[in-house]
Amino acid sequence: MKVSKFMAPEIIFGDQSISQVGECLGRLGAKKVFLVSDPGVVAAGWVEQVIHYLRLSHLDYHLWTDVTPNPKDFEVHSGLAEYLVHECNAIVGVGGGSVLDAAKAIALLATNGGSILEYEGVDKISHPLPPMVMIPTTAGSGSEVSQFSIIVYSERKAKITIISKSLIPDIAIIDPQTLMTKDRRLTSNTGIDALSHAIESYISLAATPLTEVLSLQAMRLIAQHLRPSAASQYNMEAKRAMAMASLQAGLAFSNAILGAVHAMSHQIGGLIDAPHGEINAILLPYLLEFNYLAAPEKYKNMAEALGENVSGRSLHDASRLAMKAVKELASDLDIPVRLSALGLCEEQIELISRHSINDVCMATNPRDMSVDDVRELFLKAL
């Protein structure tokens, strides 16, 4: 049996758990907090709530919101400069995956220095990071519990993947009420992103019995609750379930890593700055078909977790139902089926195919892939 390890932050989950942010930072020794968010989250009122609880705990803070979707290297360096100028000693991220990834990247540079581009790859961080508390406001990225930070290398127009246990936040606060301010499209895209985390971590070459349990349970919750969550901003049962699904999928992929869906989507997001969740949603059915040969037994388990009746069916027929379930969910959520809908052009495929094959996430894809395989899949999805 192979040796495995499982890493996770302290996790606080539940309605109004955001109220504990000040107490958490106090336990971590924070004196002045660098608060990272974006204009949309500020407008939704969640940053104001965090500031209220920081003040109740007598914590000073500096708010920085210059983060865009798919955070860029120069944004991270700009955030670092503000962190240093304002003499902060702890970081809080409040937002979706882009905000949290940027916050973690700033924390990395605050104690390790240099350019963020120097840390691409696995375990290149040598010094401890400042205390980090992450508060997700979407049910999708899992960044609040993961050892990942994904940053756009702006000159190359490609995403770099940074993986290190040092990037796992000290505390993750998951408050399902934050999901009530997200519209249907964002709820759908981030929910399918969480599904791609669950599926890719389950069939990953680095999956373990512990991550597999989390992956399958996340699939069950998403299959049952993503549709009603997208249908209504006020369905709190669905919001709580999706928050838990995102958390479970995040813990799974942080430890089991991902696969070709993310290796390929990273490159599209870096090139054309399209929404990460939507790219994953388009690519997922195509990669499910490609990877099927590597793990038909797991596909049968996925089909059952996604609500399909596999009783009495052959392994082939039962396992093929996994693709059916994912396609039907994406269709019900009005997810585009073609990358061209996002603005990708055929002449861009050669470049992103070469970049994809070198992405760290490709190493744990269950089926070997060549540049030709990646190119063919991009063309199918175009």
Side-chain angles (χ1 to χ4, degrees):
M1 182 177 179
K2 63 183 180 182
V3 175
S4 63
K5 60 182 177 179
F6 189 90
M7 298 170 290
E10 177 184 339
I11 297 167
I12 302 172
F13 184 99
D15 294 356
Q16 299 182 332
S17 56
I18 199 170
S19 65
Q20 297 192 37
V21 62
E23 183 269 335
C24 288
L25 287 159
R27 287 194 281 116
L28 295 172
K31 300 300 181 186
K32 186 168 185 180
V33 176
F34 192 64
L35 178 53
V36 180
S37 193
D38 66 31
V41 177
V42 172
W46 302 116
V47 170
E48 183 180 354
Q49 283 205 32
V50 169
I51 289 173
H52 170 72
Y53 293 116
L54 293 180
R55 287 173 173 162
L56 285 182
S57 295
H58 307 290
L59 288 169
D60 196 5
Y61 68 92
H62 176 71
L63 174 62
W64 182 74
T65 60
D66 293 335
V67 186
T68 59
N70 302 308
K72 321 297 186 287
D73 48 8
F74 59 84
E75 293 170 354
V76 170
H77 293 142
S78 174
L80 170 67
E82 293 231 7
Y83 177 95
L84 296 174
V85 164
H86 291 275
E87 299 182 332
C88 300
N89 77 328
I91 290 185
V92 175
V94 186
S98 294
V99 166
L100 305 190
D101 280 6
K104 293 197 287 187
I106 292 167
L108 186 170
L109 294 182
T111 51
N112 286 267
S115 164
I116 195 63
L117 304 176
E118 298 170 20
Y119 299 92
E120 181 178 12
V122 181
D123 290 337
K124 295 187 177 179
I125 300 172
S126 54
H127 300 292
L129 274 58
M132 293 188 291
V133 175
M134 298 294 153
I135 306 172
T137 60
T138 63
S141 81
S143 184
E144 71 278 3
V145 295
S146 85
Q147 57 174 326
F148 282 66
S149 178
I150 312 297
I151 304 296
V152 174
Y153 182 173
S154 54
E155 185 177 331
R156 198 171 73 188
K157 290 189 174 180
K159 286 187 174 181
I160 64 167
T161 301
I162 305 168
I163 305 178
S164 170
K165 58 183 176 295
S166 298
L167 288 172
I168 298 173
D170 296 279
I171 302 174
I173 299 175
I174 299 101
D175 189 333
Q177 291 182 322
T178 61
L179 305 181
M180 295 173 65
T181 55
K182 305 298 174 288
D183 62 24
R184 175 179 176 173
R185 182 179 178 189
L186 186 57
T187 298
S188 299
N189 289 344
T190 53
I192 293 290
D193 191 20
L195 180 61
S196 68
H197 293 157
I199 289 174
E200 287 209 287
S201 61
Y202 184 61
I203 61 174
S204 164
L205 294 177
T208 69
L210 183 52
T211 65
E212 288 171 352
V213 168
L214 290 165
S215 299
L216 286 172
Q217 180 58 13
M219 290 181 222
R220 293 185 191 101
L221 289 172
I222 292 166
Q224 293 173 34
H225 298 283
L226 179 51
R227 289 178 180 90
S229 181
S232 170
Q233 289 181 257
Y234 306 106
N235 185 333
M236 279 310 300
E237 179 185 0
K239 301 303 179 190
R240 292 185 191 105
M242 285 304 302
M244 181 57 72
S246 178
L247 169 61
Q248 292 172 337
L251 289 168
F253 89 76
S254 179
N255 289 278
I257 316 302
L258 293 161
V261 172
H262 277 76
M264 294 167 68
S265 72
H266 289 160
Q267 310 318 314
I268 299 173
L271 183 65
I272 63 174
D273 210 19
H276 174 69
E278 197 158 39
I279 301 169
N280 283 347
I282 295 171
L283 287 174
L284 183 58
Y286 297 95
L287 269 300
L288 274 173
E289 291 281 357
F290 180 85
N291 283 326
Y292 168 75
L293 289 177
E297 189 69 47
K298 281 195 165 185
Y299 272 55
K300 177 183 177 180
N301 296 338
M302 287 196 297
E304 190 168 23
L306 292 168
E308 297 294 326
N309 183 6
V310 300
S311 178
R313 295 179 181 268
S314 67
L315 175 60
H316 175 271
D317 290 347
S319 58
R320 299 291 299 179
L321 292 175
M323 281 82 88
K324 168 182 172 288
V326 170
K327 289 176 181 176
E328 287 180 352
L329 178 58
S331 175
D332 288 348
L333 297 172
D334 298 322
I335 301 290
V337 296
R338 297 290 176 189
L339 294 171
S340 55
L342 303 182
L344 190 71
C345 303
E346 186 172 346
E347 54 266 27
Q348 296 170 311
I349 285 178
E350 183 61 37
L351 176 65
I352 59 175
S353 297
R354 285 188 277 108
H355 285 164
S356 296
I357 210 71
N358 294 318
D359 189 284
V360 173
C361 291
M362 194 63 82
T364 48
N365 195 67
R367 183 176 173 185
D368 295 342
M369 295 192 77
S370 66
V371 175
D372 290 339
D373 292 327
V374 175
R375 185 189 303 110
E376 183 179 342
L377 283 165
F378 272 135
L379 289 171
K380 280 185 179 179
L382 190 62

